[in-house]
Amino acid sequence: MKKRFLIFGLLAAMATTVTVSCSRDDDGFGSGAVVAQKSNLTVTLSGKDISSYKNVAVEIQEVNTGAITKYNFVNQSAHTFDLPYGSYKVVANGEAIMVSLDEVQVGGTANVDINTATSNVLVNLQIKQFSQDFLIEEVFFTGVKTPDNKNYNNSRYFKLVNNTDKVLYADNLIISGSEFFTTVKRVITPYNVEEYFPISNMMVLTGSGTQYPVQPGDFIVVADNAIDHTASNGFDLRNADFEFPSSNPSLGHVDNPAVPNAAVVYTKMSFNMIFLYTTSQEAYVIARFPAGENPATFIQNYKYTYSYTNSAGNTTTVNSYKIPNSWIVDAVNTSRDADFQHIITGASLDAGYTSASPGYSGKTVRRKVLGQTANGKNIYKDTNNSASDFTRDSQSSLINGIIR
């Protein structure tokens, strides 16, 4: 997965309280001297599914004078401050531990007017997210068994989520599958996973550039066939955002005219087809063309010819294509534990693998949820390690259809 580390803010070495005043000190001498009334203000931190507050820096500012009080909550959820009457803004930033034991960055604000001897304020903390583009939320590739126990080769999909705090556009997003398998390891020449990702296919989500906006926390579904597959024990994908194009009559592909087709830039398969293997052995990436690049320049400039020694002792030469790692915004490796050989992405993209087995089981791989935003949208885990970020052998999130 593309680097999307949670960047922690405002940390201090120990729990201390510091008050800084922006107004002139009053020496209190002379007639008419005013003694400021004080209050004991208790600040309490709170957050959904947070088990402890590892180190949260709190800054309390009196909005009229600008006086600032700072304190670090270290393994504590509440602290009492001795403050003058006034109107205060409370800002919190730092590290917390979830009930899942994940360490996350959190932040929150609150406002409070102090005009009594004791006061309280609750700061509701939210998990922060700093992804810059879409994440792969889920990939369903295993397929299903029909009611009469036959293998069903439709109903596969990618589910991509906007895990940022800004509007993203699905227009021109690249989806590709790997040329190599995690379950097969050969001595490939040339081959450098830290520079590029060899591919067996590439499709691009068409659009003008701002035609398909996706709000923060929302998702899109790219389906192999955007129809209702429930009669075959598959999923109802009629409300997908895009679908794979295919002209293979053996797969019974029926185009949904209400769902735009992705554009196939390159595939090694016949009938212009993109196909996901039913067993965990591929890696998948989503990427963006940088300025000056497009499908035509990709086909022209990013050919990848490699060779290896085959089982007969002869040299096999293969022509394919490669995506520079710098284009890739997220990646996921899949494999079967008993057959795992190697990760086929650079470590900066993904350092582990997830799995869904066996084939035609209806199981999927789904990204873990860390918490929710203030408006109830999921926030997803992203540590660049699919072994940690994904739940393997999951039930499909679309078992009841595509529900927004």
Side-chain angles (χ1 to χ4, degrees):
M1 289 152 287
K2 188 73 173 175
K3 285 190 176 178
R4 297 287 182 267
F5 293 115
L6 298 174
I7 306 170
F8 299 98
L10 295 180
L11 304 179
M14 62 180 65
T16 58
T17 303
V18 179
T19 302
V20 181
S21 176
C22 298
S23 61
R24 182 179 63 84
D25 290 337
D26 191 331
D27 59 15
F29 289 104
S31 62
V34 177
V35 178
Q37 290 181 285
K38 293 289 188 77
S39 173
N40 289 323
L41 172 66
T42 300
V43 176
T44 302
L45 305 180
S46 179
K48 185 178 179 180
D49 295 327
I50 294 177
S51 63
S52 63
Y53 304 92
K54 183 177 179 181
N55 196 330
V56 179
V58 171
E59 182 176 290
I60 307 172
Q61 183 177 29
E62 210 289 315
V63 297
N64 298 300
T65 65
I68 295 174
T69 299
K70 297 180 179 180
Y71 184 81
N72 270 51
F73 285 66
V74 179
N75 297 319
Q76 63 183 122
S77 61
H79 184 76
T80 299
F81 300 84
D82 185 25
L83 296 173
Y85 282 17
S87 297
Y88 290 86
K89 180 179 181 179
V90 185
V91 179
N93 288 285
E95 303 167 346
I97 308 298
M98 307 295 290
V99 293
S100 62
L101 302 182
D102 290 302
E103 186 174 304
V104 297
Q105 183 188 12
V106 294
T109 62
N111 295 286
V112 59
D113 291 325
I114 299 176
N115 51 23
T116 58
T118 60
S119 303
N120 298 278
V121 63
L122 182 69
V123 182
N124 287 308
L125 299 178
Q126 303 291 331
I127 300 171
K128 291 187 176 182
Q129 65 234 34
F130 290 98
S131 302
Q132 298 303 308
D133 215 314
F134 287 97
L135 290 180
I136 299 171
E137 180 190 338
E138 182 179 0
V139 187
F140 175 65
F141 52 82
T142 57
V144 297
K145 291 282 189 180
T146 64
D148 55 355
N149 205 37
K150 292 181 179 178
N151 295 340
Y152 187 66
N153 282 309
N154 273 320
S155 193
R156 294 179 172 86
Y157 60 85
F158 290 93
K159 189 178 179 187
L160 311 178
V161 65
N162 179 355
N163 205 45
T164 77
D165 56 1
K166 61 185 179 182
V167 176
L168 295 177
Y169 295 92
D171 306 55
N172 304 313
L173 191 67
I174 298 166
I175 303 176
S176 284
S178 60
E179 168 73 351
F180 304 131
F181 294 147
T182 57
T183 56
V184 178
K185 190 172 186 178
R186 299 186 176 106
V187 178
I188 304 293
T189 306
Y191 184 41
N192 188 341
V193 296
E194 300 302 334
E195 292 185 3
Y196 50 80
F197 178 71
I199 63 171
S200 63
N201 55 66
M202 175 191 283
M203 59 182 168
V204 175
L205 307 185
T206 56
S208 63
T210 56
Q211 189 173 348
Y212 299 106
V214 181
Q215 299 298 318
D218 286 349
F219 64 86
I220 61 171
V221 174
V222 184
D224 65 348
N225 194 187
I227 64 173
D228 187 355
H229 302 272
T230 53
S232 300
N233 287 338
F235 310 111
D236 185 352
L237 303 178
R238 287 174 294 178
N239 292 325
D241 300 274
F242 295 89
E243 66 177 345
F244 303 7
S246 175
S247 57
N248 189 342
S250 67
L251 289 182
H253 189 280
V254 179
D255 183 69
N256 183 342
V259 177
N261 284 338
V264 174
V265 177
Y266 168 72
T267 180
K268 288 197 164 184
M269 303 197 76
S270 302
F271 301 103
N272 204 35
M273 187 170 65
I274 304 291
F275 185 79
L276 309 185
Y277 281 82
T278 58
T279 54
S280 298
Q281 59 188 30
E282 293 184 285
Y284 308 102
V285 303
I286 53 177
R288 295 279 192 185
F289 291 114
E293 301 286 1
N294 54 54
T297 62
F298 176 81
I299 291 299
Q300 181 179 351
N301 299 324
Y302 293 92
K303 292 183 174 72
Y304 175 54
T305 299
Y306 65 93
S307 61
Y308 63 92
T309 302
N310 58 36
S311 57
N314 300 317
T315 299
T316 296
T317 300
V318 182
N319 295 314
S320 188
Y321 284 86
K322 61 184 178 182
I323 299 177
N325 283 1
S326 60
W327 298 13
I328 296 173
V329 298
D330 196 30
V332 56
N333 282 267
T334 70
S335 187
R336 304 181 297 275
D337 294 333
D339 300 318
F340 173 72
Q341 294 290 319
H342 62 147
I343 297 298
I344 50 180
T345 60
S348 63
L349 301 176
D350 191 10
Y353 70 89
T354 187
S355 183
S357 293
Y360 302 104
S361 63
K363 295 179 180 178
T364 183
V365 295
R366 293 175 63 179
R367 191 176 289 271
K368 295 176 181 176
V369 176
L370 285 176
Q372 291 188 324
T373 63
N375 62 349
K377 299 293 185 180
N378 287 338
I379 298 174
Y380 293 89
K381 185 175 182 180
D382 183 22
T383 67
N384 293 355
N385 188 330
S386 289
S388 173
D389 293 345
F390 283 81
T391 300
R392 52 168 60 194
D393 297 325
S394 297
Q395 182 184 67
S396 168
S397 66
L398 305 185
I399 195 165
N400 295 315
I402 300 173
I403 302 173
R404 308 290 181 178

